Amino acid sequence: MRTTIGYTLESIGYVIGAQGLVSFGSQTLFGTEWGWLHKVVDLPSAAYLGILVVGLALVAGGVKTRKAAERGKVA
């Protein structure tokens, strides 16, 4: 079960992080809106960096949860 939760958190983190990165990059570099996140909320560029950090934290938490489950099975 922990492995499934780890993979789920990691997958959600990749999607959220990618949307934060794409939204930040498009707004900062091109002055346009890419991705789907801008259709839900209208945020400044710095907030999109925060969303990227949240995505990275979810990925890290998912990997940690998954690795802990794998270590538990071996021992």
Side-chain angles (χ1 to χ4, degrees):
M1 183 68 176
R2 278 180 118 184
T3 305
T4 303
I5 292 171
Y7 278 120
T8 303
L9 282 175
E10 189 176 352
S11 299
I12 292 169
Y14 282 126
V15 172
I16 291 174
Q19 284 299 312
L21 179 64
V22 165
S23 296
F24 173 76
S26 67
Q27 203 173 50
T28 303
L29 301 174
F30 303 105
T32 61
E33 299 287 342
W34 295 349
W36 57 266
L37 195 56
H38 74 278
K39 295 178 188 233
V40 179
V41 292
D42 187 27
L43 298 172
S45 295
Y48 288 124
L49 279 179
I51 291 171
L52 171 63
V53 170
V54 168
L56 292 175
L58 286 172
V59 169
V63 168
K64 183 176 178 182
T65 302
R66 196 166 36 88
K67 299 270 184 185
E70 290 171 0
R71 278 190 305 245
K73 289 180 183 176
V74 173

